[in-house]
Amino acid sequence: MPLAFKGIAHPPPSKSGRKHNADLSAAEIGATKMGKNGGTDLLVEHDHGSRVGKVLTSWEGPRGELRVQGIVSDHEAAETVRTGGMRGLSLGTGVTYNSEGRACMRSQDE
C-alpha cells in the first residue's frame, strides 16, 4: 500500500551565507518547483537505481524552508518508513560550476 508523506527537504537558508555549495538561497527555495512533469524521483540514499516513489509538489514554508509532499510507492520502502527504519528526507541538489570553478546554478535532481 503506498504511503503519502509531507516533510522539509531543505532548512531555511542561513542568514550568514552558504555553508556548502549545495545550500539553497531564499530565492532558489522560492523558485523550486519539484513535482512537475509527473513528479520528481524519490530515491533512497541518492541512489538513482533505487527509485521508491515521487515528490509531487514543493513549496516555501513559513520560516523559508523548502517543504515537499509525495508518495512512497515501493512496498518495502513504505514499510521501512512505517516502522521507523527510514525517517529523513534529503534533497539531491545538482551544482553547475562556471569555468572559474564558482557555483553558478543549483537544481534538484531528486
Side-chain angles (χ1 to χ4, degrees):
M1 179 164 153
L3 175 69
F5 69 90
K6 288 183 184 178
I8 298 173
H10 193 284
S14 171
K15 294 187 188 321
S16 61
R18 298 180 206 266
K19 303 208 183 327
H20 186 277
N21 276 339
D23 287 349
L24 299 178
S25 68
E28 290 162 336
I29 288 173
T32 297
K33 301 292 181 232
M34 296 179 80
K36 292 178 100 176
N37 302 320
T40 303
D41 286 335
L42 180 66
L43 310 177
V44 174
E45 298 297 331
H46 308 292
D47 178 5
H48 287 269
S50 181
R51 291 177 175 87
V52 298
K54 297 282 183 184
V55 173
L56 303 173
T57 189
S58 65
W59 66 96
E60 184 177 354
R63 294 180 311 282
E65 72 276 17
L66 177 62
R67 293 185 167 264
V68 296
Q69 179 178 359
I71 191 159
V72 180
S73 53
D74 179 87
H75 176 73
E76 285 183 41
E79 278 305 307
T80 304
V81 172
R82 282 187 187 98
T83 59
M86 196 168 14
R87 298 185 56 197
L89 289 173
S90 179
L91 179 64
T93 302
V95 182
T96 303
Y97 296 91
N98 66 16
S99 60
E100 288 90 39
R102 288 190 213 121
C104 59
M105 186 177 90
R106 289 160 188 83
S107 61
Q108 286 63 55
D109 327 339
E110 55 173 286

